[in-house]
Amino acid sequence: GENVEQHPSTLSVQEGDSAVIKCTYSDSASNYFPWYKQELGKGPQLIIDIRSNVGEKKDQRIAVTLNKTAKHFSLHITETQPEDSAVYFCAASPKAAGNKLTFGGGTRVLVKP
Amino acid sequence: DAGVIQSPRHEVTEMGQEVTLRCKPISGHDYLFWYRQTMMRGLELLIYFNNNVPIDDSGMPEDRFSAKMPNASFSTLKIQPSEPRDSAVYFCASSLGGQAYTFGSGTRLTVV
């Protein structure tokens, strides 16, 4: 089955700086790559997603890039703010797996004021 | 829309007892997923339904776990008998078309 590796496991940045989280996946048939943000005591919330026919997608301060050849994708957060502090999860979904998402291990992001 | 609603938010039970977790998906969504989250194993898919039919239960850890979806607006995850290693946060998520999940707030289960 699909295996998703996520790095780093923790990330501390100064407010206003950028944060980058990287994920690799194993199944070349994967075609959907969402990112979720989980705040303390809450369920994961979808913040952005990308499909395999697109190389990059932006939504205000967040962007995701996808390199299908290398089988990796990244989340970029610019001009970080304290409210960006949370755990972020990447995920991948192969066509053959129906609509199952396999999640990475998560990255705890701390934005220091 | 109130989102995905899970109950209870917290459950503390003794080993050997039956536990039932409940989920109300977003109206109109045709997929429902049950995930378990632990520090050691992260987010693991247990089972998912499409149009109330179980599609893949390969993530259900053992026969002590069972899930049902009697109609489009309700699902349960039952553990019988419960064990301390079942302690985790259990999430229900729903989606339209199988992607872009919306997660509930989870049920924190503690088995003592």
Side-chain angles (χ1 to χ4, degrees):
Chain A
E2 175 64 280
N3 183 50
V4 179
E5 299 283 340
Q6 183 172 346
H7 300 280
S9 57
T10 59
L11 180 60
S12 181
V13 297
Q14 207 65 39
E15 182 178 356
D17 288 350
S18 295
V20 181
I21 304 170
K22 298 182 179 181
C23 289
T24 59
Y25 60 98
S26 61
D27 190 336
S28 56
S30 285
N31 63 344
Y32 175 64
F33 308 91
W35 287 86
Y36 286 82
K37 175 183 181 182
Q38 186 176 24
E39 297 176 331
L40 197 61
K42 297 183 179 180
Q45 180 183 15
L46 178 68
I47 55 172
I48 194 168
D49 56 12
I50 191 168
R51 288 174 171 76
S52 58
N53 58 345
V54 175
E56 182 176 358
K57 184 177 179 181
K58 281 186 179 180
D59 183 2
Q60 299 182 342
R61 296 187 296 107
I62 60 173
V64 58
T65 59
L66 171 65
N67 183 327
K68 287 175 57 181
T69 303
K71 291 191 284 188
H72 67 70
F73 55 114
S74 301
L75 178 72
H76 304 252
I77 307 173
T78 58
E79 301 172 20
T80 54
Q81 301 169 3
E83 53 264 38
D84 295 328
S85 296
V87 179
Y88 292 80
F89 293 94
C90 63
S93 176
K95 271 187 181 179
N99 292 290
K100 293 196 303 187
L101 282 179
T102 298
F103 284 86
T107 297
R108 184 173 300 277
V109 174
L110 175 63
V111 180
K112 296 181 287 186
Chain B
D1 198 321
V4 176
I5 300 173
Q6 291 187 246
S7 63
R9 286 299 311 272
H10 303 274
E11 176 79 42
V12 180
T13 191
E14 291 186 349
M15 183 173 63
Q17 296 298 306
E18 177 180 297
V19 175
T20 299
L21 311 182
R22 295 173 175 80
C23 175
K24 177 179 168 55
I26 290 174
S27 177
H29 280 190
D30 57 349
Y31 282 83
L32 184 140
F33 304 84
W34 282 101
Y35 276 83
R36 178 170 68 176
Q37 186 175 40
T38 61
M39 288 295 293
M40 290 298 295
R41 301 175 69 90
L43 278 162
E44 303 174 275
L45 177 66
L46 300 177
I47 184 171
Y48 80 94
F49 298 83
N50 178 217
N51 292 322
N52 314 338
V53 176
I55 302 300
D56 186 341
D57 66 354
S58 59
M60 296 286 259
E62 48 200 273
D63 292 345
R64 298 184 296 107
F65 286 69
S66 63
K68 293 182 180 179
M69 192 166 185
N71 56 61
S73 60
F74 184 65
S75 177
T76 59
L77 177 68
K78 186 176 294 186
I79 308 172
Q80 165 63 17
S82 57
E83 297 182 3
R85 60 193 167 118
D86 301 332
S87 297
V89 181
Y90 290 80
F91 287 105
C92 173
S94 70
S95 78
L96 180 61
Q99 297 180 339
Y101 297 5
T102 300
F103 281 82
S105 297
T107 294
R108 181 174 295 277
L109 173 65
T110 303
V111 183
V112 297

